[in-house]
């Protein structure tokens, strides 16, 4: 979510975090860095950041990285003409400020379903919800840290492919050159201890795999 009203950003992020993993950013520079290094199912964009209309540039950047990412513009520009302009820029949806959080959640969930494609995957009884990035086993939630969850679901989205440590570092960290590859091994170890079933395979010298 890109929103420079910190109070609004904190409130919306706290609400959406009950259902999704949320990155709340306040500047265009931050947003560009995160778009370069992370993949998102849905992006919320305030059109007016520090008095600058984000316009086509940021939306194009998001769609170029992953054309399946859903984009919702949240904006005080509430005329029909402005809504049409925002949608023509490449956004998938447009929500006027002020908005109801329940309506926002419904729109985010609808876009996530549309762009994610796959909803849930069963791995030996481990229920993996790709839309909300949640894990359940025999009715109990399996809790991972943010970084553990990012790593696990990245492997899951590339199920059947061997993913190298280098690729994981580039996907999960803003400055991968400053992170030791052993960090991936340690994080994988923590995930394995928390999962009730063995689903992550180590492919020697090549990386990790979820079949």
């Amino acid at each position: 979510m890109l929103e420079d009203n910190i109070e609004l950003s904190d409130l919306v992020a706290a609400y959406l975090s009950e259902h999704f993993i949320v990155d709340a950013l306040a500047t265009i520079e931050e947003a560009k860095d995160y778009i370069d290094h992370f993949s998102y199912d849905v992006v919320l964009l305030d059109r007016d950041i520090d008095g600058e209309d984000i316009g086509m540039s940021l939306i194009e950047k998001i769609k170029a990285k992953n054309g399946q990412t859903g984009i919702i513009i949240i904006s005080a520009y509430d005329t029909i003409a402005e809504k049409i302009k925002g949608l023509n820029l490449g956004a998938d949806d447009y929500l006027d400020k002020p908005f109801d959080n329940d309506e926002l959640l419904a729109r985010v969930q609808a876009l996530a379903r549309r762009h994610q494609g796959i909803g849930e995957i069963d791995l030996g009884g481990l229920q993996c919800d790709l839309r909300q990035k949640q894990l359940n086993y025999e009715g109990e939630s399996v809790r991972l840290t943010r970084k553990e969850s990012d790593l696990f679901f990245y492997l899951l989205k590339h199920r059947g492919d061997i993913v190298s440590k280098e690729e994981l570092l580039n996907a999960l960290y803003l400055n991968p050159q400053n992170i030791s590859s052993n960090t991936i091994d340690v994080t994988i170890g923590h995930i394995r201890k928390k999962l009730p079933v063995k689903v992550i395979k180590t492919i020697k010298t090549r990386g990790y795999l979820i079949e």
Side-chain angles (χ1 to χ4, degrees), residues 150-172 181 184-185 188 192 200-211:
D150 286 349
L151 196 160
F152 178 80
F153 280 96
Y154 188 89
L155 289 176
L156 194 56
K157 287 180 180 180
H158 295 80
R159 187 181 182 190
D161 297 329
I162 299 172
V163 183
S164 69
K165 285 192 273 188
E166 181 181 7
E167 179 178 342
L168 289 169
L169 286 172
N170 287 328
L172 301 177
S181 62
I184 299 297
D185 299 326
I188 291 286
R192 283 172 168 161
I200 302 176
K201 291 187 175 183
T202 299
I203 309 300
K204 191 173 181 180
T205 73
R206 297 184 63 189
Y208 294 98
L209 167 71
I210 292 180
E211 292 184 321

Side-chain angles (χ1 to χ4, degrees), residues 50 123 174:
D50 291 331
L123 298 175
L174 288 175

Side-chain angles (χ1 to χ4, degrees), residues 94-132:
Y94 198 108
L95 191 59
D96 298 336
K97 291 181 179 179
F99 50 79
D100 180 83
N101 280 345
D102 289 337
E103 180 182 1
L104 174 63
L105 174 62
R107 294 187 183 216
V108 170
Q109 289 175 327
L111 266 185
R113 286 193 297 270
R114 186 193 313 170
H115 290 276
Q116 188 67 61
I118 300 173
E120 294 187 359
I121 293 176
D122 186 316
L123 298 175
L126 180 67
Q127 301 295 323
C128 311
D129 187 328
L130 279 80
R131 290 190 296 269
Q132 300 189 29

Side-chain angles (χ1 to χ4, degrees), residues 1-13 24-27 46 48-51 74 76 97-99:
M1 177 174 64
L2 175 60
E3 168 61 65
D4 61 353
N5 182 324
I6 302 303
E7 182 178 358
L8 175 61
S9 178
D10 288 346
L11 288 172
V12 173
L25 310 173
T27 70
D46 181 359
D48 188 6
I49 300 294
D50 291 331
I74 48 177
K97 291 181 179 179
F99 50 79

